[in-house]
Amino acid sequence: MVTEIGRQVLYALAYYVGLVVMMRLAGKRLAGQTTTFDLVVLIQMAVVLQSTALGKGVVNAAVFLVTVFVAHIGLARACARHEGLRHLVRGAPRRLVAGGEVIDDALAEEGISREELEAGLRKLGYESPEAVELAVLEETGHISAVARKD
């Protein structure tokens, strides 16, 4: 029984690491600009991972859930204390607009279209990138912006 619980803990940790890696590979865009399709794909991938990692029985389910929860709390606390780890797990903020000029390479690397950038800026009250001094894709996947001063 102890080896079965130990195995379930290891599977749960592997599952959690798999989720973190999937989220990181998907990019910050997934966190802040999720489409319905993105969400369905991510949930399905998590379900497949979980079904291979979760053993049968109530004890295994409880061990799995507690392990994933504790791992998540531990990672969140570690990210809060260590900037390098936080940037590894969540990514670093990225400039998308500087001085009213769109940084096309940054958009391409982050997987964001110009239309998505413009939609994000409109949500913040800016008509166009030219009205923005600085726009940043934050760790959270949301766009923040500072107005240009004329």
Side-chain angles (χ1 to χ4, degrees):
M1 183 72 169
V2 173
T3 58
E4 180 72 20
I5 290 173
R7 185 177 309 124
Q8 190 60 70
V9 167
L10 291 176
Y11 287 161
L13 289 173
Y15 165 80
Y16 184 71
V17 168
L19 284 179
V20 170
V21 168
M22 281 186 339
M23 289 296 293
R24 186 64 182 108
L25 291 175
K28 292 184 292 254
R29 177 188 174 278
L30 183 63
Q33 314 288 327
T34 305
T35 65
T36 303
F37 180 73
D38 293 334
L39 188 60
V40 168
V41 169
L42 183 63
I43 290 170
Q44 187 58 44
M45 290 171 68
V47 167
V48 169
L49 275 177
Q50 179 185 354
S51 66
T52 59
L54 179 58
K56 294 185 188 285
V58 174
V59 172
N60 281 334
V63 168
F64 187 90
L65 290 173
V66 168
T67 301
V68 170
F69 181 74
V70 168
H72 182 66
I73 296 297
L75 182 60
R77 288 184 178 165
C79 285
R81 289 188 180 97
H82 305 286
E83 183 179 357
L85 178 62
R86 185 175 66 249
H87 288 176
L88 177 68
V89 172
R90 297 182 186 164
R94 180 91 183 244
R95 288 177 178 219
L96 302 177
V97 177
E101 298 291 323
V102 175
I103 306 169
D104 291 315
D105 290 344
L107 290 181
E109 289 177 20
E110 294 293 344
I112 298 174
S113 70
R114 190 174 186 99
E115 291 77 19
E116 289 170 320
L117 169 64
E118 290 172 353
L121 293 176
R122 283 192 300 273
K123 281 184 185 178
L124 297 172
Y126 300 101
E127 289 185 26
S128 68
E130 292 77 21
V132 174
E133 180 62 34
L134 175 68
V136 175
L137 181 63
E138 302 292 351
E139 292 176 357
T140 60
H142 293 92
I143 296 171
S144 63
V146 177
R148 287 187 82 174
K149 295 177 183 169
D150 294 328

